[in-house]
């Protein structure tokens, strides 16, 4: 292929004029190189370009906002784009403000480059003007237009730089440089003649010189051909060679290509009906130029000229739109059809959109396109209404989605279209669920499912998804969760997941997994199953940071209640990282809320109160719907750790809230009375709480609180019986240790009475060692049932550390030599027995001696071993599924809270385990960096590489890769900072930086 060569013409006289400007407006006719100059400005400013081309007349503001988000994503600002894309109001100003705010947190600047702004509607023009007034300190705006649209006229004010035709026209010396770029040697006088002949039009000059360089045509002949600078004639003259070579009969086909926003062989073949046409047009000299990704484009003046050669062929446009749709460019397809006035074809295309493509659509773009479709086109193809409705519903725009669903349902009944009627009815099922009418939703779902045909698989999956949700809330005659309904709900979710997965709808697979985990598994007490399902969901949302943080919130909750303190903290750390990047008060508050829960279970009164206050200090939109739940649970948490008076204050505040938190408030009040209040009234309050909806996972807790109230009343026999019953209930959940995790102070006092009843769970709990976690990553800690224990210091602690980091059992003589290198074998063995006995007294059976070998008990978890095991699983998965491997790796890395035993940094025996864990962590970071690079997520790539650099500051390869990623985003300042950091780190070791690093630094500094 022979595309149009690059024709960047440096114009320092103009870039110097714009150097200090925040807003630059360029108004000039097509052909004067506005886009080229815009790119030159971005290059001179050394900033990242967030570019959007307003491709058709009267582009609405929401479509412009969506285009800016897409431009930010292409520029590598994936997190900022995701933040703006999650604005649920559908207000373009809110979307743009969110994007600007998110981008302002970048150390380097960015340029909003809006091309062909003359095509903007009044509203879009006003939005452009709004952007100019909201720019952050490191943000700039360049507006390129033939003339500013209505709504943006105020951009001509004196405070902005304004360039017009005369400014952009090529000067003779610039024309001379264009000639040189094409290897066309001329003198200054000839360049002046050419400049006069072209009138300074960049496009004509470039095309003419390209033709002359290719054909050997002399300057005199070229000047005569250009007809004294008349643009249309000059353009026709320089394009005539290409048209002639292609054949005059092909002009109508060529004219259709000029109307297409993105070009390649596939799309051109579809539009022209000739799969070789693109290649032939290139060889003939039609000036195609590379565009974004693998796409091609025509220069604007060429496109305008060729489009005028033949009338629009609606069929060619429809075929091109179909090709775009097949290539996941649905937005381009719809906008092309609308720009060509074929609203009916746009509605057809939207109606036939595959579930996978529909799920990937940008909600702002969909809303903007939908607003341009006439009602009659949509009514003629009502399935398009459902495609848009589900897109809106996925972004929580429920009211708008239900309105479209009701409209589709009315059309279906009018046309007696049963397939459409069932699809629309399923959409409206969620309306009943949101209105808490779950029984009605269940009945409607069953009726729909009984009528579905084999071709209605998507409707079946959606109906099963909602039926499972309704069943998950069904109560039995006693007011408890209906176990039969829960089992059926799980079956519904299984089938729905299989169908959604087959249709490529990963977002829906994720939604079902979260619902399954938090509606069935977790309430039923199956914490391990809930965590596995949430981990599977995480693997599907690596490119959706907000959904990632939401799932982390669920994981933290489940982990805390299961006594997995380290996992809970790791999840919260991920939540805080997200909150820092996105300034998200909601996620930050939820993180502190979960830490308060964990601290309360562990008996840490100060941490419980501090985290509750932090959560409340970060009131966001979560406070409105969840304040009652928060205050009610806070009362329970504070009472558990001894803040009794303060707990009553929180309880009073919870009761004063108009929110529906009756169950939580009732349970908290009952627990407070059982622990520290009137034990007689506690029984009445607990009975009242039991009559409310209660999850099976909480049954044991109500029972043990009743037992403790009886114990405080002096009714030991009743207390023992109830406590034994509570331990049995926890054991049936598969978590016999739960009472010791969540109500340890009570359980320890009741355990003897319960064991005396002879019930097996109580006896087993009394005899068994509670779950023990040994942490060596980032700090040394031993926690029993989630609660840290004090080990003091001495040789027992040293032995436990040593065994925890050893990959295999250790011979007794080896341990003796490490602990007492000067002692004899007999003395050492005597001392070892003493140390083991003392350690057993403090921490239980954490160390096992088998003959002459010592090891950590198999019942004890070691965070280092968990980290290495998950890392190996990530490595194995990477051979077949890099995205899943990265998700597993991120989970493993969350447990790496620092180097192995930092307080023993100079112990010889700790060095190898420390280096091994660090190398594994680096390997996981590299895996995640490669996966982010494959996805084009430069924000994640940069952040991951920075973590790796912090861990291994003397490895120059990651500095170079990180700087290159930043440079690709246009963040030259940050890239140079990384290069300088690399040089400083290497200098500390007395090493010379590699040539590649020095060259990169020079290019960034220059």
């Amino acid at each position: 292929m022979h595309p149009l060569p690059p024709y960047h013409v440096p114009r320092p006289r103009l870039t110097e004029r714009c150097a200090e400007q925040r807003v630059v407006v360029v108004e000039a006719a097509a052909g004067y190189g506005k886009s080229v100059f815009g790119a030159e400005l971005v290059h001179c400013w050394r900033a990242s370009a967030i570019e959007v081309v307003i491709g058709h007349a009267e582009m609405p503001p929401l479509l412009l906002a969506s285009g800016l988000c897409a431009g930010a994503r292409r520029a590598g600002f994936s997190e900022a784009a995701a933040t703006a894309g999650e604005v649920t109001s559908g207000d373009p100003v809110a979307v743009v403000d969110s994007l600007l705010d998110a981008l302002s947190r970048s150390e380097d600047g960015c340029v909003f480059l809006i091309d062909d702004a003359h095509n903007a509607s009044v509203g879009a023009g006003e939005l452009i003007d709004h952007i100019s007034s909201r720019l952050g300190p490191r943000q700039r705006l360049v507006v390129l237009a033939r003339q500013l649209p209505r709504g943006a006229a105020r951009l001509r004010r004196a405070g902005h730089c304004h360039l017009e035709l005369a400014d952009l026209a090529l000067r003779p010396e610039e024309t001379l440089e264009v000639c040189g770029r094409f290897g066309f040697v001329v003198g200054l006088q000839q360049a002046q003649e050419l400049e006069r002949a072209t009138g300074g039009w960049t496009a004509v000059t470039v095309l003419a010189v390209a033709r002359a360089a290719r054909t050997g045509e002399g300057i005199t002949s070229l000047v005569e051909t250009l007809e004294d600078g008349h643009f249309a004639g000059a353009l026709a003259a320089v394009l005539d060679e290409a048209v002639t070579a292609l054949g005059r009969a092909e002009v109508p086909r060529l004219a259709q290509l000029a109307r297409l926003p993105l070009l390649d062989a596939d799309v051109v073949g579809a539009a022209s009906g000739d799969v070789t046409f693109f290649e032939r047009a290139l060889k003939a000299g039609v000036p195609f130029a590379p565009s974004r990704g693998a796409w091609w484009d025509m220069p604007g003046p060429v496109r305008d000229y060729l489009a005028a050669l033949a009338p629009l062929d609606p069929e060619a446009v429809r075929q091109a739109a179909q090709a775009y749709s097949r290539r996941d460019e649905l937005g381009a397809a719809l906008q092309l059809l609308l720009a060509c006035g074929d609203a009916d074809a746009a509605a057809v295309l939207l109606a036939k959109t595959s579930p996978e493509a529909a799920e990937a659509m940008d909600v702002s773009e969909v809303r903007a396109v939908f607003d341009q479709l006439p009602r009659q086109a949509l009514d003629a193809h009502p399935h398009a209404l459902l495609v848009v409705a589900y897109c809106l519903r996925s972004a929580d725009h429920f009211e708008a989605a239900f309105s479209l669903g009701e409209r589709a349902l009315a059309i279906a009944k009018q046309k007696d279209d049963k397939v459409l009627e069932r699809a629309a009815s399923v959409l409206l099922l969620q309306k009943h669920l949101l209105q808490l009418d779950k029984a009605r939703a269940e009945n409607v779902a069953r009726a729909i499912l009984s009528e579905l045909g084999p071709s209605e698989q998507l409707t079946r999956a959606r109906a099963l998804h909602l039926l499972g949700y309704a069943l998950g809330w069904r109560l039995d005659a006693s007011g408890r969760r209906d176990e039969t309904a829960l089992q059926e709900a799980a079956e519904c979710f299984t089938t729905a997941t299989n169908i959604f997965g087959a249709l490529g709808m990963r977002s829906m697979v994720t939604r079902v997994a979260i619902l399954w985990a938090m509606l069935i598994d977790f309430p039923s007490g199956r914490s391990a199953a809930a965590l596995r399902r949430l981990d599977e969901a995480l693997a599907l949302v690596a490119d959706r940071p907000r959904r990632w943080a939401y799932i982390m919130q669920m994981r933290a909750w489940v982990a805390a209640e299961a006594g997995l303190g380290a996992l809970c903290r790791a999840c919260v750390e991920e939540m805080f990282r997200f909150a820092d990047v996105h300034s998200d008060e909601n996620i930050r508050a939820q993180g502190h809320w979960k830490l308060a829960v964990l601290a309360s279970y562990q008996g840490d009164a100060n941490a419980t109160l501090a985290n509750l206050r932090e959560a409340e200090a970060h009131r966001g939109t979560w406070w409105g719907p969840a304040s009652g739940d928060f205050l009610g649970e806070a009362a329970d948490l504070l009472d558990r750790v001894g803040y009794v008076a303060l707990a009553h204050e929180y309880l009073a505040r919870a009761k004063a809230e108009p929110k529906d938190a009756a169950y939580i408030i009732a349970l908290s009040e009952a627990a407070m009375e059982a622990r520290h209040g009137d034990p007689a009234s506690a029984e009445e309050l607990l009975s009242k709480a039991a009559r409310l909806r209660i999850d099976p996972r909480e049954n044991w807790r109500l029972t043990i609180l009743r037992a403790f109230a009886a114990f405080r009343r002096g009714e030991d026999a009743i207390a023992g019986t109830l406590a034994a019953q509570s331990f049995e209930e926890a054991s049936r959940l598969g978590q016999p240790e739960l009472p010791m995790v969540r109500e340890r102070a009570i359980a320890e006092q009741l355990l003897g009475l319960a064991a005396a009843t002879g019930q097996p769970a109580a006896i087993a709990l009394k005899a068994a060692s509670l779950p023990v976690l040994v942490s060596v990553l980032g700090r040394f800690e031993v926690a029993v049932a989630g609660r840290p224990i004090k080990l003091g210091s001495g040789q027992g602690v040293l032995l436990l550390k040593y065994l925890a980091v050893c990959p295999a059992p250790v011979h007794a003589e080896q341990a003796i030599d490490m602990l007492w290198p000067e002692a004899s074998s007999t003395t050492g063995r005597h001392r070892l027995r003493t140390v083991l006995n003392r350690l057993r007294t403090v921490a239980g059976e954490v160390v096992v001696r088998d003959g002459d070998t010592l090891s950590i008990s198999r019942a004890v978890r070691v965070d280092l071993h968990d980290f290495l095991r998950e890392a190996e699983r990530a490595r194995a998965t990477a051979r077949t599924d890099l995205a899943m491997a990265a998700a597993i790796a991120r989970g493993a890395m969350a447990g790496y809270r620092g180097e192995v035993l930092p307080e023993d940094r100079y112990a010889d025996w700790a060095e190898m385990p420390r280096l091994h864990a660090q190398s594994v962590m680096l390997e996981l970071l590299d895996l995640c960096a490669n996966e982010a690079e494959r996805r084009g997520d430069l924000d994640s790539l940069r952040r991951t590489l920075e973590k790796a650099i912090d861990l291994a500051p003397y490895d120059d390869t990651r500095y170079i890769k990180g700087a290159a990623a930043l440079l690709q985003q246009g963040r030259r300042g940050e890239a140079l900072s990384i290069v300088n950091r690399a040089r400083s780190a290497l200098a500390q070791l007395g090493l010379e930086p590699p040539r590649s690093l020095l060259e990169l630094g020079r290019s960034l500094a220059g």
Side-chain angles (χ1 to χ4, degrees):
M1 292 186 178
H2 304 286
L4 182 70
Y7 56 96
H8 171 65
V9 183
R11 304 187 194 185
R13 61 188 173 87
L14 296 182
T15 52
E16 288 174 8
R17 181 172 161 187
C18 301
E20 303 302 322
Q21 298 294 324
R22 298 287 303 286
V23 178
V24 176
V25 179
V26 181
E27 290 187 274
Y32 273 87
K34 297 189 300 296
S35 300
V36 175
F37 178 64
E40 184 183 354
L41 272 180
V42 173
H43 175 76
C44 291
W45 283 332
R46 297 185 177 181
S48 181
I50 296 174
E51 184 176 3
V52 61
V53 179
I54 302 183
H56 64 84
E58 296 300 306
M59 175 182 273
L62 192 55
L63 198 55
L64 173 58
S66 172
L68 288 168
C69 290
R73 196 175 296 111
R74 287 193 299 271
F77 295 105
S78 54
E79 292 182 342
T83 299
E86 289 162 349
V87 173
T88 59
S89 65
D91 176 7
V93 173
V95 173
V96 164
D97 284 349
S98 177
L99 181 64
L100 287 164
D101 290 342
L103 290 167
S104 68
R105 292 188 283 274
S106 170
E107 293 182 10
D108 265 0
C110 63
V111 181
F112 292 93
L113 187 64
I114 302 177
D115 202 355
D116 286 348
H118 47 270
N119 285 328
S121 65
V122 175
E126 292 172 346
L127 184 62
I128 294 171
D129 182 70
H130 174 76
I131 293 171
S132 73
S133 66
R134 280 278 283 107
L135 293 173
R138 293 180 295 275
Q139 296 167 349
R140 301 180 191 238
L141 171 66
V142 177
V143 181
L144 309 174
R146 298 178 189 177
Q147 62 181 24
L148 284 175
R150 290 172 298 160
R154 289 180 297 178
L155 288 175
R156 295 193 185 100
R157 53 183 172 263
H160 299 158
C161 183
H162 185 238
L163 304 177
E164 297 179 315
L165 284 173
D167 298 299
L168 257 63
L170 290 179
R171 304 285 175 83
E173 61 273 16
E174 292 166 341
T175 301
L176 185 64
E177 183 162 352
V178 171
C179 293
R181 297 268 174 166
F182 286 84
F184 193 52
V185 180
V186 298
L188 181 59
Q189 182 178 350
Q190 291 175 308
Q192 290 172 337
E193 293 175 5
L194 186 57
E195 184 268 329
R196 285 194 296 271
T198 61
W201 296 73
T202 306
V204 175
T205 304
V206 169
L207 291 171
V209 174
R211 167 179 159 170
R214 185 170 61 252
T215 63
E217 185 176 4
I219 190 68
T220 303
S221 174
L222 184 61
V223 169
E224 291 173 354
T225 303
L226 294 177
E227 297 182 6
D228 299 325
H230 183 264
F231 178 63
L235 192 59
V238 295
L239 288 175
D240 183 67
E241 179 202 2
V243 173
T244 301
L246 192 59
R248 292 289 174 183
E250 302 286 19
V251 167
R253 285 179 171 175
L254 200 56
Q256 305 313 312
L257 305 193
R259 296 176 169 89
L260 305 183
L262 301 168
L263 299 170
D264 72 355
D266 178 44
V267 171
V268 171
S272 66
D274 180 355
V275 295
T276 68
F277 191 70
F278 183 61
E279 179 73 25
R280 290 196 294 114
L282 264 175
K283 288 181 178 178
V286 175
F288 295 114
S291 181
R292 63 176 173 86
W295 293 105
W296 299 73
D297 193 6
M298 288 182 184
V302 175
R303 190 189 310 118
D304 293 346
Y305 174 78
L306 292 177
L309 296 180
L312 171 73
D313 180 357
E315 182 58 27
V317 170
R318 282 192 288 270
Q319 291 300 322
Q322 292 289 346
Y324 286 140
S325 181
R326 290 192 300 269
R327 300 279 294 279
D328 295 327
E329 292 285 353
L330 184 63
L334 292 170
Q335 291 176 46
L336 171 64
L337 291 168
L338 289 171
C340 295
D342 199 343
D344 190 72
V348 170
L349 184 62
L350 196 55
K352 293 182 177 180
T353 301
S354 71
E356 184 175 9
E359 192 176 66
M361 290 192 301
D362 178 85
V363 67
S364 299
E365 184 177 41
V366 170
R367 290 188 78 149
V369 169
F370 179 76
D371 290 343
Q372 297 175 76
L373 288 170
R375 187 180 184 92
Q376 59 269 27
L378 289 165
D379 289 349
H381 307 285
H383 281 278
L385 294 170
L386 292 184
V387 172
V388 176
Y390 273 107
C391 183
L392 294 173
R393 196 205 66 172
S394 69
D396 297 334
H397 300 189
F398 292 111
E399 186 175 344
F402 295 149
S403 175
L404 294 181
E406 288 165 352
R407 181 172 154 192
L409 182 61
I411 294 172
K413 289 181 176 179
Q414 181 184 358
K415 295 183 175 183
D416 196 26
D417 185 340
K418 295 300 183 183
V419 172
L420 177 62
E421 182 177 344
R422 288 188 285 269
S425 297
V426 169
L427 172 66
L428 296 173
L429 268 178
Q430 191 155 2
K431 188 174 184 180
H432 301 315
L433 292 170
L434 290 175
Q435 294 170 348
L436 305 180
D437 192 354
K438 296 180 177 63
R440 182 180 177 187
E442 180 184 336
N443 293 334
V444 173
R446 291 190 188 281
I448 293 171
L449 286 165
S450 68
E451 298 172 0
L452 290 173
S455 64
E456 299 172 80
Q457 289 303 299
L458 179 56
T459 301
R460 184 183 304 280
R462 285 168 169 164
L464 287 168
H465 169 219
L466 297 178
L467 175 59
Y469 180 77
L471 288 168
W473 289 93
R474 190 203 282 175
L475 306 180
D476 60 20
S478 65
R480 304 291 179 90
R481 280 294 196 35
D482 189 322
E483 290 295 330
T484 303
L486 288 176
Q487 183 176 352
E488 185 182 357
E491 294 170 358
C492 290
F493 289 155
T494 299
T495 306
T497 297
N498 291 338
I499 296 174
F500 285 136
L503 293 172
M505 302 177 68
R506 66 181 177 119
S507 179
M508 287 307 302
V509 171
T510 302
R511 285 174 180 269
V512 175
I514 296 171
L515 200 58
W516 199 338
M518 303 310 295
L519 187 63
I520 298 179
D521 290 333
F522 182 49
S524 299
R526 298 190 292 272
S527 298
L531 286 172
R532 281 196 304 272
R533 226 172 290 281
L534 292 173
D535 286 344
E536 291 168 3
L538 276 178
L540 300 174
V541 296
D543 57 340
R544 301 182 183 184
R546 190 166 299 279
R547 184 58 60 90
W548 170 273
Y550 174 72
I551 296 174
M552 278 295 175
Q553 176 184 330
M554 300 297 103
R555 290 178 86 229
W557 183 12
V558 177
E561 300 237 343
L564 304 175
L567 178 59
C568 176
R569 292 190 191 94
C571 292
V572 171
E573 286 175 7
E574 285 289 300
M575 293 167 65
F576 285 163
R577 183 199 63 76
F578 173 88
D580 289 340
V581 172
H582 296 273
S583 297
D584 193 307
E585 295 295 280
N586 293 322
I587 292 296
R588 190 178 305 282
Q590 293 297 323
H592 283 294
W593 187 349
K594 300 305 176 283
L595 288 180
V597 171
L598 181 64
S600 178
Y601 293 162
Q602 295 179 342
D604 190 335
N606 292 335
T608 301
L609 180 57
N611 279 293
L612 286 174
R613 286 178 170 166
E614 280 293 324
E616 193 169 352
H618 295 284
R619 291 190 185 186
T621 56
W622 71 276
W623 183 259
S627 57
D629 291 359
F630 171 78
L631 294 169
E633 185 171 20
D636 187 19
L637 301 179
L638 290 167
D639 184 75
R640 181 183 288 112
V641 294
Y643 283 118
V644 179
L646 190 57
H648 280 281
E649 291 180 20
Y650 271 81
L651 183 65
R653 290 176 61 195
K655 289 181 176 181
E657 282 287 317
K659 310 299 185 300
D660 181 16
Y663 158 65
I664 292 177
I665 292 172
L667 186 56
S668 294
E669 185 174 19
M672 291 163 62
E673 285 297 297
R675 293 193 199 97
H676 302 111
D678 181 356
S681 64
E683 179 66 29
E684 180 181 347
L685 290 171
L686 288 163
S687 298
K688 177 182 175 183
R691 290 192 293 272
L692 299 173
R693 178 193 63 80
I694 185 169
D695 292 337
R697 70 186 177 90
E698 294 282 30
N699 290 339
W700 70 267
R701 188 161 172 254
L702 278 174
T703 307
I704 202 170
L705 289 169
R706 289 183 62 208
F708 194 63
F711 177 70
R712 290 182 59 218
R713 293 195 302 268
E715 301 169 354
D716 287 2
I718 295 175
T721 300
L722 288 172
Q725 180 184 335
S726 170
F727 297 146
E728 290 291 335
E729 290 169 343
S731 183
R732 284 196 292 273
L733 294 176
Q735 299 181 80
E737 74 282 356
L738 269 182
M740 288 295 191
V741 171
R742 295 182 56 196
E743 295 289 355
R744 182 165 184 166
I746 291 175
E748 286 178 338
Q749 294 185 64
L750 296 173
L751 186 55
L753 292 174
T757 65
Q759 290 295 316
I763 294 173
L765 188 61
K766 186 175 182 181
S769 298
L770 293 172
V772 178
L773 173 65
V774 176
S775 299
V776 296
L777 292 171
R779 82 280 188 227
F780 178 72
E781 179 184 270
V782 178
V784 178
R787 181 173 297 189
I789 61 173
K790 294 181 179 180
L791 292 176
S793 58
Q795 302 300 80
V797 172
L798 188 59
L799 176 63
L800 186 54
K801 290 179 179 180
Y802 179 59
L803 295 176
V805 300
C806 285
V810 173
H811 195 279
E813 293 295 336
Q814 185 179 344
I816 290 169
D817 186 57
M818 186 275 296
L819 293 169
W820 306 284
E822 305 300 328
S824 66
S825 176
T826 303
T827 302
R829 286 179 177 273
H830 174 73
R831 290 177 179 176
L832 181 61
R833 283 193 297 272
T834 302
V835 165
L836 289 173
N837 288 333
R838 289 175 179 171
L839 189 59
R840 187 178 299 110
T841 301
V842 177
E845 298 289 342
V846 291
V847 174
V848 175
R849 182 166 187 172
D850 183 9
D852 279 339
T853 62
L854 300 170
S855 63
I856 298 290
S857 169
R858 291 185 178 181
V860 174
R861 287 183 53 207
V862 179
D863 63 350
L864 174 61
H865 300 171
D866 291 346
F867 167 71
L868 295 175
R869 183 175 59 254
E870 285 300 289
E872 179 56 37
R873 189 161 73 95
R875 282 195 293 261
T877 306
R879 301 186 189 106
T880 56
D881 189 339
L882 187 59
M884 175 66 79
I888 297 170
R890 280 187 286 269
M893 291 189 301
Y896 187 88
R897 303 187 67 196
E899 67 179 39
V900 171
L901 297 173
E903 64 273 28
D904 297 286
R905 185 168 288 116
Y906 303 107
D908 292 342
W909 51 267
E911 183 176 3
M912 287 305 296
R914 182 178 299 116
L915 293 175
H916 176 61
Q918 178 177 304
S919 70
V920 170
M921 182 63 174
L922 284 168
E923 187 178 351
L924 295 180
L925 286 166
D926 287 340
L927 188 156
C928 290
N930 292 336
E931 193 268 342
E933 187 174 26
R934 182 185 62 81
R935 284 190 288 110
D937 187 345
L938 298 182
D939 277 333
S940 294
L941 173 62
R942 172 184 52 79
R943 189 172 58 250
T944 304
L945 288 171
E946 285 178 351
K947 287 182 180 178
I949 288 170
D950 287 341
L951 203 59
Y954 306 118
D955 186 339
D956 58 83
T957 58
R958 293 187 183 89
Y959 288 103
I960 295 172
K961 191 172 184 178
L966 288 166
L967 185 58
Q968 190 176 344
Q969 291 176 282
R971 304 182 188 181
R972 300 179 70 90
E974 290 183 43
L976 184 59
S977 175
I978 283 188
V979 170
N980 291 336
R981 182 176 165 192
R983 297 179 68 171
S984 174
L986 294 172
Q988 290 178 15
L989 294 179
L991 299 175
E992 282 294 323
R995 178 181 299 177
S996 55
L997 188 69
L998 293 172
E999 290 176 353
L1000 181 59
R1002 281 194 293 269
S1003 112
L1004 290 168

